[in-house]
Amino acid sequence: MQDSNNKPETKKKGRGIGRKLGRTALFFLILCLIVEGISLAISHNPRYQKGEIGGRNAVYVRLANETADSLQVINIGDSESYTTFSPIQAWEEAGITSYDCGQPGQRLAETMSILKAVFKRQKPEIILLEAHDAFTKETVADDLELRFTELIGQLLPVVRYHSFWNADTYEGATVSTYKGFGIRTAVHPYDGTNYMSRKMKNTAVSGLSMRSLEEIRDYCEKHGAKLVLYSAPSPTNYNQKRVDALTEAAEELGVYYVDLNSIADEIGIDWSVDSLDDGDHLNLSGAEKTTRYLVEYLVDMCGISGLENNPAQASWESDAAAYDKEVDGLIERIRGTV
């Protein structure tokens, strides 16, 4: 009798739990539909589609607007990358098509995320990675958190562009950028002593950074691209110990590495005029010199040549004309020859 009396109560409990689970599932379904709806609204917004968006994640939008299979070189890294290499100059001097995919303070997990976006529509021959981020000190937990955030951003654009409807999202969107390279003409000289002997923290490539670099290398090789590490001229960020650490890392990885600090004089870097901000980044004058050297390096060492039958030829010609018009006379004025 006791067992039979408990059966209705058990059935009621079962139905109650079922209803709760059903309501929870319905809630998450509705939430997912709302998030997906907002994501679609963002991706179909005219300003989004034209690449008129600022902030760190603008690179994803702008990359999506590049003609498919039109880019041979991807230059990537933190802010050192996009102040060192000018894609339009590279195209004018060697016919090489490239894009600056750097972000301020970009970390290696973010580098990997951008590369995944790159290889969805492009087949670059070379990934040019400015390696300063290899010295960023972070924990495994930091890395996992960032990777999770990047994964969610890939799945749901509303997460990556959560401030899309805020006017601040467009800050910097109207600044002239040419394949990710901005025209920076400020001059704040570096007047310190020989920076290659300066003391710095974190002069070793951590095990975590090395694993990330291995992941990037493997991903590049899987997609038929060569990984080339380089160090931008930067007294703020490099000394001999860091260069030595990257040399050793590149040898272990089996990839090219070119250090522009130890050959700054050969390149012609003049820290009295080529520094944007006291030896941290290069201005337009400095970038003109480093771009020329890197282009020659890619041609001579990596065997790259101009893209045949460029599907975006007209676009590059148009961008080059606009670029030339904007930089006309600027380098000479920066260097004080006018």
Side-chain angles (χ1 to χ4, degrees), residues 213-240:
L213 288 172
E214 289 172 350
E215 180 184 13
I216 291 170
R217 177 205 59 193
D218 293 345
Y219 192 78
C220 291
E221 290 179 352
K222 177 183 176 181
H223 290 82
K226 293 179 181 177
L227 176 63
V228 177
L229 304 181
Y230 77 101
S231 301
S234 176
T236 299
N237 295 296
Y238 287 103
N239 63 5
Q240 191 60 52

Side-chain angles (χ1 to χ4, degrees), residues 165-334:
W165 306 111
N166 190 316
D168 292 341
T169 303
Y170 300 104
E171 183 180 356
T174 57
V175 175
S176 296
T177 57
Y178 297 92
K179 307 299 181 183
F181 179 80
I183 308 301
R184 298 171 177 85
T185 59
V187 178
H188 292 281
Y190 170 73
D191 55 5
T193 56
N194 181 11
Y195 63 88
M196 294 300 281
S197 62
R198 294 176 65 196
K199 292 184 178 181
M200 291 183 180
K201 296 180 179 179
N202 306 328
T203 56
V205 177
S206 69
L208 182 61
S209 291
M210 197 65 188
R211 287 192 293 274
S212 294
L213 288 172
E214 289 172 350
E215 180 184 13
I216 291 170
R217 177 205 59 193
D218 293 345
Y219 192 78
C220 291
E221 290 179 352
K222 177 183 176 181
H223 290 82
K226 293 179 181 177
L227 176 63
V228 177
L229 304 181
Y230 77 101
S231 301
S234 176
T236 299
N237 295 296
Y238 287 103
N239 63 5
Q240 191 60 52
K241 288 185 178 181
R242 286 191 170 186
V243 169
D244 291 343
L246 286 173
T247 300
E248 183 178 342
E251 290 177 354
E252 186 175 337
L253 290 165
V255 302
Y256 291 103
Y257 170 59
V258 54
D259 170 48
L260 303 183
N261 293 276
S262 57
I263 57 173
D265 290 340
E266 177 186 334
I267 295 172
I269 298 296
D270 180 349
W271 292 112
S272 68
V273 295
D274 294 334
S275 174
L276 178 70
D277 45 11
D278 306 310
D280 194 351
H281 305 89
L282 299 174
N283 58 25
L284 177 64
S285 173
E288 188 263 348
K289 299 173 182 178
T290 49
T291 299
R292 179 167 294 116
Y293 183 88
L294 286 170
V295 167
E296 292 175 355
Y297 182 89
L298 295 177
V299 171
D300 295 341
M301 298 298 294
C302 302
I304 194 169
S305 58
L307 181 64
E308 295 183 7
N309 303 317
N310 181 2
Q313 181 75 21
S315 172
W316 278 88
E317 291 176 353
S318 176
D319 288 345
Y323 179 84
D324 291 341
K325 183 178 180 180
E326 185 165 353
V327 303
D328 182 39
L330 286 179
I331 293 177
E332 288 77 8
R333 285 196 287 275
I334 291 172

Side-chain angles (χ1 to χ4, degrees), residues 20-31:
K20 288 181 180 179
L21 290 175
R23 287 196 294 267
T24 301
L26 180 62
F27 169 79
F28 280 107
L29 175 62
I30 293 173
L31 179 62

Side-chain angles (χ1 to χ4, degrees), residues 38-54 61 157-170:
I38 297 174
S39 296
L40 287 173
I42 289 175
S43 62
H44 286 81
N45 185 285
R47 297 194 72 172
Y48 178 101
Q49 293 179 334
K50 292 178 181 178
E52 295 176 355
I53 181 172
V61 182
V158 68
V159 175
R160 178 163 283 157
Y161 307 109
H162 59 276
S163 60
F164 184 80
W165 306 111
N166 190 316
D168 292 341
T169 303
Y170 300 104

